[in-house]
């Protein structure tokens, strides 16, 4: 009987958590991995991607031993003591790989829930006043902007028509808040157009609108008769 094959380097395994990761970050997993390699992700998302990579490796191990077990039970080998011993060993290895996968999955879920909670509790666009820095970024984007990737370093930033540079992390925060969006159908190296969303325009308008003040009404002394209106003679 041939020895156990070593796990081969295969394509990235898809996990059941991929759709949640893509939903909360707004990017597909492959794009997130690429952004992590370039160092353009914010810390919570970077930690999430690192954990997801661990999960993908653990899922690869589970797939390998499950496939091996299927092969051993397929009838390819004669049923003897060596085969039964090898099946027992593979079952133990599969159980260990599954336990490792489940442990990593729990860590991924914890990181996911933290980001999802932050997204749910973030102030809605137009609800609270945006910061001065975000207001300046939105104002610059409103005049025309594109996301570019540096050919040598791979770093990404937003170049605006006014000449202002916006860091990719700041753009990512504005996108997560639903204030800005970019045309992902265009290549980054050629420049992806960035524009304000309807919520972003509303937030910018609300931030630039002067606040109105109301004169408080005079409150009468408790127990006193209401003042009578002045009569014209």
């Amino acid at each position: 009987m041939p020895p156990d094959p070593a796990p081969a380097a295969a394509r990235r395994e898809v996990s059941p958590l991929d759709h949640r990761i893509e939903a909360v970050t707004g990017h597909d997993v492959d794009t997130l991995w690429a952004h992590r390699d370039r160092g353009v992700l914010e810390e919570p998302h970077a930690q999430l991607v690192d954990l997801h990579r661990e999960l993908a490796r653990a899922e690869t191990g589970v797939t390998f031993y499950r496939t091996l077990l299927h092969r051993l039970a397929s009838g390819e080998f004669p049923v003897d003591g060596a085969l039964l011993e090898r099946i027992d060993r593979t079952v133990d290895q599969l159980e260990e790989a599954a336990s490792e996968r489940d442990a990593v999955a729990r860590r991924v879920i914890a990181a996911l829930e933290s980001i999802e909670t932050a997204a749910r509790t973030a102030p809605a666009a137009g609800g609270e006043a945006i910061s001065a820095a975000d207001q300046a970024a939105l104002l610059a984007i409103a005049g025309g902007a594109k996301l570019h990737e540096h050919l040598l370093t791979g770093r990404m930033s937003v170049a605006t028509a006014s000449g202002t540079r916006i860091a990719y992390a700041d753009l990512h925060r504005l996108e997560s808040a639903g204030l800005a969006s970019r045309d992902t159908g265009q290549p980054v190296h050629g420049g992806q157009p960035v524009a304000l969303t309807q919520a972003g325009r509303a937030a910018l308008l609300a931030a630039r609108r002067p606040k109105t003040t109301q004169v408080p009404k005079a409150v009468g002394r408790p127990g006193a008769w209401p003042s009578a209106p002045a009569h014209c003679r």
Side-chain angles (χ1 to χ4, degrees):
M1 182 177 294
D4 293 345
R11 67 176 182 84
R12 177 182 63 82
E13 289 292 336
V14 177
S15 77
L17 298 175
D18 285 9
H19 70 284
R20 284 181 62 183
I21 294 175
E22 293 175 349
V24 76
T25 61
H27 300 286
D28 62 81
V29 171
D30 292 330
T31 299
L32 286 171
W33 283 29
H35 288 176
R36 179 66 178 108
D37 292 337
R38 294 167 184 161
V40 297
L41 291 179
E42 294 181 341
E43 188 60 26
H45 289 178
Q47 292 179 356
L48 176 62
V49 171
D50 290 342
L51 288 172
H52 183 261
R53 279 178 164 166
E54 290 185 32
L55 179 60
R57 286 192 293 268
E59 195 70 52
T60 300
V62 171
T63 301
F64 170 76
Y65 290 115
R66 183 177 59 221
T67 303
L68 177 58
L69 185 61
H70 176 73
R71 181 189 175 195
L72 293 175
S74 65
E76 179 181 349
F77 306 105
V79 179
D80 53 17
L83 175 63
L84 296 177
E85 180 181 353
R86 188 170 176 183
I87 289 177
D88 287 341
R89 184 172 67 249
T90 303
V91 169
D92 292 339
Q93 292 169 328
L94 177 59
E95 183 179 2
E96 182 179 350
S99 297
E100 179 182 352
R101 187 266 322 270
D102 293 343
V104 178
R106 286 191 291 270
R107 294 166 60 196
V108 173
I109 291 174
L112 258 176
E113 290 177 344
S114 176
I115 296 176
E116 289 170 342
T117 300
R120 285 194 300 267
T121 57
E128 293 186 9
I130 58 177
S131 66
D134 286 347
Q135 180 180 347
L138 292 176
L139 189 59
I141 292 174
K146 285 187 176 182
L147 175 66
H148 293 274
E149 180 181 14
H150 195 281
L151 294 177
L152 297 179
T153 64
R155 295 274 180 175
M156 293 192 292
S157 63
V158 178
T160 66
S162 62
T164 304
R165 287 276 177 177
I166 301 173
Y168 177 76
D170 295 333
L171 172 63
H172 185 70
R173 186 180 66 255
L174 294 175
E175 284 184 303
S176 299
L179 302 177
S181 64
R182 53 195 172 96
D183 183 6
T184 56
Q186 301 294 328
V188 180
H189 58 80
Q192 285 185 347
V194 180
L196 300 184
T197 62
Q198 184 175 355
R201 289 189 292 270
L204 183 59
L205 181 62
R208 302 182 68 189
R209 183 184 298 123
K211 296 182 179 180
T212 58
T213 57
Q214 293 182 347
V215 179
K217 295 181 179 180
V219 180
R221 181 170 53 85
W225 289 97
S227 58
H231 295 283
C232 297
R233 294 183 179 273

